[in-house]
Amino acid sequence: MRNLKFVRALMFFAAVTAALAGGAVRAAETTQVVNVAGIKSYDLFGEAGNTVIELNLGALAQVTSITWNVNYTAFDPSWLADMEVHFGPSAGNDGVVFTPSITEEGGSEHSEGSASLVDLGLDFKVGADGKLRIEFSENYKDLNPGEADGQWDSGSFTIGYVSAVPEPSSYAMMLLGLVAVGAIARRRQNS
């Protein structure tokens, strides 16, 4: 009878360990939305006048998709095809560049769609600081310094990412597993 209890306890311990391992590595898939209404487009990537937004996705989160639904305007003589958005970690050169238009003239347009960065082989991780850096820029420097070349009139980008940190339910499962292991140890001591 005692051996049967030990085998059951061992099986239960194995099941709890498997659940803990599965829960701890399960990635939390989530999204963050960035409203672009009113953001101006000025200069080349990396220049001081550009609007930069930083989102905290969590350390080493993997950016997996970008969905957009945006309206934008390029002011003449700038082109719609000059407007771009860089998505990347706060440090380094990883990331992707989004250019919504191929129109080589000023004016207004609408663009919407979605891209799986994983399917395209363009997914990337943010750094240990957890920050995704989004910079609105131009790919051509016009001769009007300090003046906006374009504007993101309305809409948003939705950033899909996978967190490298266990989700809260994983912590709950680990706590439950530890309680169960403690209960088994106490029972074995009392037997």
Side-chain angles (χ1 to χ4, degrees), residues 1-182:
M1 182 75 166
R2 189 170 183 182
N3 283 342
L4 183 60
K5 283 184 180 180
F6 179 73
V7 169
R8 284 184 182 162
L10 191 59
M11 288 174 58
F12 181 74
F13 180 75
V16 168
T17 303
L20 285 174
V25 298
R26 184 181 310 151
E29 295 181 4
T30 192
T31 60
Q32 282 201 24
V33 177
V34 177
N35 182 351
V36 300
I39 293 177
K40 302 257 191 272
S41 184
Y42 287 96
D43 289 318
L44 298 174
F45 175 70
E47 293 193 12
N50 295 331
T51 299
V52 174
I53 297 172
E54 287 189 338
L55 300 178
N56 189 356
L57 305 184
L60 306 176
Q62 179 181 2
V63 178
T64 57
S65 67
I66 298 174
T67 301
W68 63 94
N69 186 349
V70 292
N71 296 300
Y72 46 95
T73 300
F75 306 131
D76 196 35
S78 191
W79 293 349
L80 289 159
D82 293 342
M83 297 176 71
E84 60 187 18
V85 183
H86 293 250
F87 299 88
S90 62
N93 294 325
D94 290 342
V96 295
V97 178
F98 172 77
T99 305
S101 179
I102 58 170
T103 303
E104 295 182 341
E105 60 184 46
S108 296
E109 284 186 349
H110 171 81
S111 179
E112 62 183 282
S114 183
S116 168
L117 300 182
V118 174
D119 292 347
L120 296 170
L122 299 173
D123 55 316
F124 63 92
K125 290 185 179 183
V126 298
D129 65 358
K131 292 181 181 175
L132 172 66
R133 184 177 189 278
I134 304 169
E135 181 174 338
F136 296 80
S137 61
E138 294 279 315
N139 63 27
Y140 181 80
K141 187 168 182 122
D142 290 318
L143 300 175
N144 302 325
E147 291 183 25
D149 292 336
Q151 175 174 297
W152 299 86
D153 299 319
S154 63
S156 63
F157 289 100
T158 302
I159 314 304
Y161 65 97
V162 176
S163 176
V165 178
E167 52 190 44
S169 62
S170 297
Y171 289 117
M173 280 182 25
M174 286 194 308
L175 180 61
L176 180 63
L178 290 173
V179 168
V181 169

